[in-house]
């Protein structure tokens, strides 16, 4: 089972809009909340009220600072979970077959009942998308909320990942990236979505939409007419008021 | 990477153990009867001890049997399968040596090949990881194999090959360190490719102020001065002193000391093998791209 | 799902998670009050997600909301009522029954009510039931009641209401659907946290422009297309410079100004008049404008009048000019040219011009119309609604400075000059706003022992006559609200209560009763001294603040200082009422209110505080709580929510009244709460389409508002660019009128209470000594002090470094892991530092309220929050250092009394690394 499927019918995944993410961590906690009581073992926390609180999360939001050659520095909030890679190295290294990629939709999952907790898959993942649960001793990772997206007990509109459903800014999108006509594929095309670490050869399904250009200095010539003075002192201003009111 | 004691012990013990078994498989030295029993017992103690140690870092060791299933794709699985095959063959070989008083050559050759393959498979678990540039190099399997053979030769009391193997291993170790120190910087993955948001990018805030598995497991850092000191110690113990001892005097007692020194050196080198290895995920956590961070 | 590992078996079946039941209520991990679906399994809370139908969050939920389950199960929760048995602050408490607790409170309070009700000071913090808590205080008869507004955002509220009849805060929102350029001033999170994020998401999806004006570029500012890293406290200057540029270029909406604002109203310019600077009125008290057709002054609301902005009206030898000319005269001055302000604002002049030009271009070149006919209050019919796609929002970055009131006024002036308030694409009010300032109550302070106060405590003053002063002219309230110090302190001054009560200034009190306010730690300035004041004794050994009753749900730092602890439930275990009488949850297109109800029962001896107050009111026999026979009127808070009527037919909940179909007005409906529950915990009614914009002037809206009982008769009004209430205080300071300010305050009132927006330096730090501004920001995943007890949230924000801008970082030779000492005129702290480039070069900052006192919040004493986490509050004083005359002034806005948290100035120095941040306090011993 650790062989990767040669082809998946769909490529379900996330598109994350770095131009829109405000770094609120809503997706982080919604993910924890859902997955704490859903697929597999709960996401445990160690020392939750003590000196070194730490626990399993399947999605975490980093922040980076970018200092362009000119213009002010920028900050980018950067959510990261499993990218459901097409050439997922985490799957092929797994000795037990617990890690697998589904042929029908491309979701990469861990069968926790078969996982020995060797940790090798986490070593193989370049993105830090897998975390070993310290209580259960099994590997946890984003399931793409496989127990939501096909879950007929949920209303249809809720059959989407918990993180996507909760994102207040709408910075997370879910869909089939294998279908060029899907909304997510269109979005990726329109906004120039990119792969993380393309050189690692993992062919991630998840795509990131880069921040739009920031702090662009407009051609002042274009804007200058908007500030063409009608008056430099109150008297002139009165004249302008008068003339303008005539026109109204 | 976090230098887990169980993994260091496992690779070191099983490495030298399989090395010894290789020599025994080749019939060097000729070890039959009572002496053979001691030799084989020692070799099996080392390999099996190592393998047992390796389960200590598993989250669910009771399911370890499942690791035999994925030999077609997984080096870890291959290693498990090969280790069992190698041990089985060498057990037969050892039984013949001890009970029948002779070492069947074909079985021995097969066993030796499987032992070498096991050591290489172990090495490939690390070598295959593109995520750890320091490991992802030809020197990794060569060094594992040479150290295994050299350690085995020392245990087998074969000083001539041991000398040359040690020298070769020393050379490869130096090469591995030199290459390894550059590997991270030379590897194409940078924070810029990891984030794709520009070249001048710097980690600002970690995702959580609390710790996590990734940081404990993959973002371990060892100070440069500390590492250099340890390298010197490792090299001295693992290569230089044993070589010196061999050159100066090859009395049995001295050989025993050489083996112990060598093995201690291997342990230190293995600790460094893990502790110095930088995983690309460290980039996301703001770890510098220099091979060794300054303290 | 056992698989055969030796074969390539099929993927295991994925189990389908199921819950037993879903119950819908309202989140209270912050004051945004989103709708939540609480899923239960085996009678326990299993999962919380957003309610898609809810008007506030439309299904989304923030990090805190999703972590509510851990708030509910936190070990820090209080267990039972408690009485202090050891010295105050020692942590020696004894569990008592509710009957004992309530009896104790009655024993303390009943005598006060009969003799001196003002000796009870009842102040609430993050309270969402102020209409009810103030009802209690009013019927008790004490003038000393307020909530947290005074240290929070009263500048915003007061400036908005006095200027345009509604405020930013949570009382209005940009027209997210139509706006093309959005300016965000000084906001990290705000109360409207999910709606703002949803709105920003909409702008981003459309590719509209987001402009962030903030010294710090995180969060919303991180996604801003353009960021202006302004120097703190200088927004007013920047805004007035933008106004300067726009006026000079004539890029203002004259139609709008003429029709909907007091821009055309004539200002009395008679230097001899006691009404100089007030607006001219006719005999019927109507504001006068010049009619362009006749050149004669006529009432502003005359049908068909063409207001003349350019003329002037000569009477008795004096020329009186319209407000717009005063505006032009003032802001066309070169003092406001971009070049003149650039250095102080930390923004190059060219960028100021660019911003002004882009505002002009977007407001006027991208103007559009919506095909919605409407009729204005003058009877004029309009075929379309003129849209201007520029919107703005601001919060405490502007509000929490001592020039915040005038800065917020300046911002509203800018919005109104561009014609972007209550128009498509602009800023819109949320019902029940807008309301003219005159429609709000005035403050009341008349105490009669044994009787209720003469009216509501808080309100809007319109001149010296409305101040809360004793006959001797001294402040009537313990917090000195509505006194000459801060005449327009519409929300009271929570941050002065403890220090005034301790000092017995203006008088001594007996019982300090607080609810949901962590005053011994992160919500106080001068933290260390505040803690000392709470335990300080007089010569006789008696506590200077004799009694403290405190209602909290958790082991906060404050609990340890209570004499009587009233333990509250969590938000999942009680009834609550998010009422139109209070701070409602409406959106611009809908009026809405909501409830909380016990979706799970408490597992311990705690009671919903409001129900406790209902009980206490009845035991004290307060009017409004008992009937003529003295029998309790309400069984509990739920009963009050249903039965109480403020005015006939108008109660705490507006939905499902009468037989269940009535909205706004109607007889109480015994099934009302069930109807709310059945409806998902809230009630909502859409604003009619033709009433959605131009609300202050739109007859359709005015009629609908009356129907909904926001008020009893239509009350259209015009915006106050020129503010008369401010001018009335100036007149007093100039010597006019009976009520006169004390001399030491005359100059301040003359200068700061200007009827047109002004800017002044809000800190008087000697620049070389304290060159840096020090700020805090709300982390989106943490709510003040509450979040740290949450096992999930504290992993995200468990420690807080001080972020230092690049130049300062280099100048001091900092590197990763370093520590620094931060020194203000009030104190010093030693804390870890971290580098940040996207930061104003004169600013350092940290996340708010991460630092915790050891022993609090059910955390281990070595928790990082208690060892390395820190507060800036230790550096901030509620009183400014003595001036030349020896006077110490309150660290507040001189107009509203708003606490000036963000005026903090500091100096930084490298310090040796430490194991713990300094100062470090001994562990606080709360109840076990
Ligand atoms: N340095 C600095 N200081 C600041 C600010 C700043 O920006 N910078 N901001 C200021 C502002 S605007 C504000 S509003 C204040 C906020 O400060 P506070 O109003 O003190 O807010 P919290 O710290 O959240 O404390 C509220 C208290 O309510 C309790 N509580 C929580 N849930 C419940 C409940 O369900 N029932 C009851 N009865 N109690 C409950 C908590 O345990 C806590 O003790 O802080 C102010 N302090
Ligand atoms: N998650 C979360 N949400 C909350 C709260 C919470 O604790 N956590 N608290 C609630 C409460 S009580 C309140 S009052 C609101 C407050 O909500 P906000 O108004 O967002 O308050 P702050 O987080 O204090 O953010 C103030 C912002 O103003 C900026 N600033 C400071 N000085 C200046 C200045 O001079 N000019 C400009 N332009 N910007 C400046 C700061 O950099 C910061 O970004 O949030 C509410 N919502
Ligand atoms: S919920 Fe959305 S906006 Fe918030 S951090 Fe996650 S992706 Fe970003
Ligand atoms: S992101 Fe990591 S865990 Fe996920 S599929 Fe790719 S390699 Fe595997
Ligand atoms: S930890 Fe589990 S899933 Fe990962 S490689 Fe090991 S057995 Fe496979
Ligand atoms: S898809 Fe589901 S499991 Fe994956 S990050 Fe989102 S919430 Fe977590
Ligand atoms: S913003 Fe978050 S914490 Fe506040 S009410 Fe909404 S979901 Fe709850
Ligand atoms: Mo606040």
């Amino acid at each position: 089972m650790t062989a990767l499927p040669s082809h998946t019918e769909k490529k379900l995944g996330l598109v994350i809009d770095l131009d829109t993410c405000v770094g609120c961590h809503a997706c982080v906690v919604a993910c924890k909340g859902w997955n704490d009581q859903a697929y597999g073992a709960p996401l445990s926390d160690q020392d939750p009220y003590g000196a070194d609180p730490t626990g399993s999360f399947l999605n975490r939001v980093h922040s980076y600072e970018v200092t362009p050659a000119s213009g002010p520095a920028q900050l980018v909030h950067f959510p990261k979970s499993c990218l459901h890679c097409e050439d997922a190295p985490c799957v092929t290294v797994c000795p037990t077959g617990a890690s697998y990629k589904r042929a029908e939709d491309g979701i990469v999952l861990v069968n926790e009942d078969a996982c020995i907790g060797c940790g090798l898959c986490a070593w193989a993942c370049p993105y830090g998308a897998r975390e070993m649960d310290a209580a259960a001793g099994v590997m946890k990772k984003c399931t793409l909320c496989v127990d939501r997206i096909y879950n007929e007990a949920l209303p249809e509109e809720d059959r989407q990942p918990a993180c996507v459903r909760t994102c207040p800014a709408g910075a997370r999108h879910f869909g089939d990236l294998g279908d060029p006509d899907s909304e997510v594929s269109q979005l990726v095309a329109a906004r120039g979505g990119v792969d993380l670490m393309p050189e690692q050869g993992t062919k991630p399904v998840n795509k990131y939409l880069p921040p739009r250009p920031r702090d662009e200095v407009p051609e002042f010539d274009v804007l200058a007419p908007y500030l063409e003075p009608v008056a430099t002192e109150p008297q002139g201003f009165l004249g302008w008021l008068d003339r303008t009111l005539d026109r109204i | 990477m976090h230098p887990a004691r169980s993994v260091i012990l496992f690779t070191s013990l099983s490495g030298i153990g399989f090395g010894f078994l290789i020599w025994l498989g080749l019939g060097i030295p000729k070890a039959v009867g009572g002496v053979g029993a001691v030799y084989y017992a020692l070799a099996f103690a080392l390999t099996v001890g190592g393998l047992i140690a390796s389960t200590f870092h598993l989250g669910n060791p009771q399911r370890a049997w499942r690791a035999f299933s994925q030999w077609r794709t997984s080096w870890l699985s291959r290693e498990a399968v090969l280790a069992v095959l190698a041990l089985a063959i060498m057990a037969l070989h050892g039984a013949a040596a001890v009970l029948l008083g002779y070492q069947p050559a074909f079985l021995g050759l097969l066993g030796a090949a499987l032992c070498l393959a096991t050591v290489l498979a172990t090495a490939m678990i690390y070598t295959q990881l593109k995520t750890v540039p320091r490991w992802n190099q030809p020197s990794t399997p060569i060094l594992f194999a040479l150290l295994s053979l050299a350690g085995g030769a020392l245990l087998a009391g074969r000083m001539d090959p041991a000398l040359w193997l040690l020298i070769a291993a020393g050379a490869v170790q130096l090469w591995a360190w030199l290459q390894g120190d550059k590997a991270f910087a030379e590897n194409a993955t940078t924070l810029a490719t990891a984030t794709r948001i520009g070249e001048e990018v710097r980690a600002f805030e970690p995702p959580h102020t609390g710790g996590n598995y990734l940081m404990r497991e993959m973002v371990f850092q060892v100070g440069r001065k500390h590492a250099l000191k340890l390298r010197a110690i490792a090299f001295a113990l693992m290569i230089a002193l044993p070589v010196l001892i061999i050159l100066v005097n090859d009395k049995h007692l001295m050989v025993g000391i050489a083996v112990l020194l060598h093995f201690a050196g291997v342990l230190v080198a293995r600790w460094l093998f893990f502790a110095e290895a930088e995983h690309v995920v460290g980039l996301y956590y703001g770890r510098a791209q220099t091979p060794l961070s300054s303290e | 799902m056992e698989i055969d590992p030796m074969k390539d078996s099929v993927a295991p079946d994925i189990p389908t998670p199921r819950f037993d039941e879903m119950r819908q209520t309202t989140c209270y991990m912050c004051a945004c009050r989103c709708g939540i679906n609480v899923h239960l399994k085996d009678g326990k809370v299993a999962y919380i997600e957003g309610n898609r139908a809810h008007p506030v969050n439309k299904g989304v939920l923030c990090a805190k909301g999703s972590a509510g389950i851990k708030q509910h199960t936190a070990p820090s929760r209080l267990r039972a009522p408690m009485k202090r048995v050891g010295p105050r602050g020692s942590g020696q408490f004894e569990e008592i029954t509710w009957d004992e607790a309530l009896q104790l409170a009655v024993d303390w309070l009943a005598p006060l009510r009969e003799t001196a009700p003002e000796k009870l000071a009842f102040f609430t913090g993050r309270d969402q039931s102020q209409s009810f808590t103030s009802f209690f205080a009013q019927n008790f008869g004490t003038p000393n009641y307020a909530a947290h507004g005074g240290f929070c955002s009263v500048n915003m509220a007061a400036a908005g209401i006095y200027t345009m009849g509604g405020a930013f805060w949570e009382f209005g929102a940009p027209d997210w659907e139509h706006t093309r350029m959005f300016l965000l001033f000084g906001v990290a999170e705000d109360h409207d946290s999910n709606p703002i994020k949803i709105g920003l998401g909409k702008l981003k999806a459309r590719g509209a422009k987001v402009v962030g004006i903030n010294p710090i570029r995180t969060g919303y500012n991180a996604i801003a297309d353009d960021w202006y890293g302004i120097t703190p406290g200088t927004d007013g200057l920047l805004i007035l410079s933008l106004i300067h540029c726009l006026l000079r270029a004539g890029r203002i909406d004259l139609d709008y100004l003429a029709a909907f604002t007091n821009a055309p109203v004539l200002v009395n310019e008679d230097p001899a008049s006691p009404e100089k600077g007030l607006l001219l009125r006719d005999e019927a008290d109507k504001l006068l404008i010049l009619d362009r057709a006749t050149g004669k002054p006529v009432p502003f609301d005359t049908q068909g009048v063409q207001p003349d902005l350019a003329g002037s009206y000569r009477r008795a030898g004096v020329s009186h000019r319209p407000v717009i000319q005063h505006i032009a005269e003032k802001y066309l001055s070169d003092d406001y040219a971009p070049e003149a302000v650039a250095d102080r604002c930390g923004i190059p002049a060219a960028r100021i011009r660019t911003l002004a030009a882009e505002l002009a271009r977007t407001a006027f070149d991208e103007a559009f119309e919506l095909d919605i006919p409407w009729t204005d209050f003058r009877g004029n019919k309009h075929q379309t609604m003129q849209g201007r796609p520029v919107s703005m929002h601001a919060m405490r970055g502007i509000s929490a400075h001592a020039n915040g009131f005038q800065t917020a006024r300046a911002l509203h002036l800018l919005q109104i000059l561009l014609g972007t308030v209550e128009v498509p694409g602009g800023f819109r009010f949320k019902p029940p706003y807008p309301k003219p300032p005159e429609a709000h109550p005035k403050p009341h302070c008349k105490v009669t022992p044994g009787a209720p106060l003469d009216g509501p405590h808080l309100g809007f003053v319109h001149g010296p006559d409305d101040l809360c002063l004793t006959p001797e002219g001294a402040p009537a309230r313990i917090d000195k609200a509505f006194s000459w110090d801060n005449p327009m302190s519409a929300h009271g001054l929570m941050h002065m209560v403890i220090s005034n009560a301790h000092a017995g200034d203006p008088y001594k009190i007996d019982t300090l009763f607080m609810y949901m306010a962590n005053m011994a730690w992160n919500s106080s300035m001068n933290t260390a001294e505040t803690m000392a004041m709470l335990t300080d004794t007089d010569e006789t050994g008696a506590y200077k603040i004799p009694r403290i009753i405190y209602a909290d749900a958790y082991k906060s730092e404050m609990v340890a200082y209570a004499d009587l602890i009233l333990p509250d439930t969590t938000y999942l275990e009680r009834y609550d009422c998010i009422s139109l009488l209070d701070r409602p949850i409406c959106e611009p297109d809908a009026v809405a209110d909501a409830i909380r109800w016990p979706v799970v029962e408490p597992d311990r001896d705690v009671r919903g505080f409001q129900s406790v107050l209902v009980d206490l009111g009845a035991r004290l026999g307060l009017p409004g709580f008992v009937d003529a026979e003295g029998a309790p009127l309400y069984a509990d808070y739920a009963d009050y929510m249903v039965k109480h009527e403020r005015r006939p037919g108008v109660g705490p909940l507006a939905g499902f009244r009468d037989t269940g179909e009535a909205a706004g007005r109607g007889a109480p409906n015994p099934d009302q709460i069930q109807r709310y529950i059945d409806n998902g915990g809230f009630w909502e009614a859409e604003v009619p389409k033709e009433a959605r914009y131009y609300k202050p002037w739109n007859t359709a809206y005015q009629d609908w508002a009356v129907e909904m009982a926001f008020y009893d008769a239509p009350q259209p009004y015009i915006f106050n660019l020129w503010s008369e209430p401010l001018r009335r205080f100036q007149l007093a300071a100039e010597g006019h009128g009976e009520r006169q300010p004390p001399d030491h305050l005359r100059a301040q009132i003359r200068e700061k209470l200007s009827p047109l927006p002004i800017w002044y330096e809000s800190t008087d730090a000697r620049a070389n000594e304290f060159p840096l501004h020090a700020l805090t920001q709300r982390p989106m995943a943490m709510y003040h002090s509450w979040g740290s007890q949450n096992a999930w949230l504290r992993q995200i924000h468990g420690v807080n470094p001080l972020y230092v801008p690049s130049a300062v970082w280099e100048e001091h030779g900092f590197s990763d892991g370093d520590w620094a000492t931060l020194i203000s005129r009030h104190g010093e702290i030693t804390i870890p530092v971290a580098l940040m480039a996207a930061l104003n070069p004169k600013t350092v900052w940290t996340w708010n309220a991460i630092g915790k006192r050891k022993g609090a919040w059910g955390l281990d004493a070595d928790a990082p929050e208690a060892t390395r986490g820190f507060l800036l509050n230790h550096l901030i004083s509620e009183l400014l250092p003595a001036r030349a005359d020896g006077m110490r002034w309150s660290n507040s806005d001189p107009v509203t009394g708003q606490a000036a948290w963000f005026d903090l100035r500091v100096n930084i120095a490298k310090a040796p690394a430490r194991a713990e941040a300094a100062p470090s306090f001994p562990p606080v011993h709360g109840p076990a």
Side-chain angles (χ1 to χ4, degrees), chain C residues 831-864:
Chain C
I831 65 225
V833 290
L835 167 67
M836 183 177 191
L839 178 58
N840 172 283
K842 290 186 190 163
T843 303
V844 296
W845 73 280
T846 192
W847 295 118
N848 189 43
I850 299 299
K852 293 283 149 2
R853 186 148 170 211
K854 287 192 191 95
W857 299 104
L859 301 180
D860 294 351
D862 57 356

Side-chain angles (χ1 to χ4, degrees), chain C residues 282-398:
Chain C
D282 67 7
E283 308 74 52
D285 217 28
K286 291 245 173 166
L287 296 171
L288 289 174
I289 60 174
L290 276 186
D291 184 0
R292 216 169 144 72
T294 63
K296 293 253 159 55
V298 295
F300 78 100
D301 55 355
T302 311
Q303 175 142 28
V305 69
Q306 282 282 326
D308 187 359
L309 301 177
S312 65
Y313 167 53
R314 219 174 149 73
R315 191 174 69 180
V318 181
S319 283
H320 306 280
R321 292 168 301 155
V323 166
I324 187 73
Q325 294 184 29
H326 291 264
I327 289 176
E329 184 175 75
K330 190 171 178 79
Y331 305 116
L332 281 175
S333 149
D334 286 342
D335 294 350
Y336 298 107
E339 289 71 18
V341 307
D343 283 352
R344 279 175 289 168
C345 295
I347 298 172
R351 287 202 87 204
I352 299 177
R353 283 185 200 284
T354 305
L355 184 55
E358 288 202 74
L359 282 172
R361 191 192 44 155
T362 315
F364 299 105
D365 281 15
E366 295 191 27
F368 62 100
E369 287 171 41
L370 292 185
D371 274 329
I372 309 175
W374 67 289
T375 306
D376 72 28
F377 67 105
R378 296 184 178 92
N380 300 324
K381 292 198 184 333
H382 307 257
Q383 280 320 301
T384 59
M385 287 181 166
Q386 172 70 56
R388 299 226 176 272
V390 169
S391 59
M392 305 184 193
H393 187 79
M395 241 311 255
R396 292 183 65 260
I398 280 187

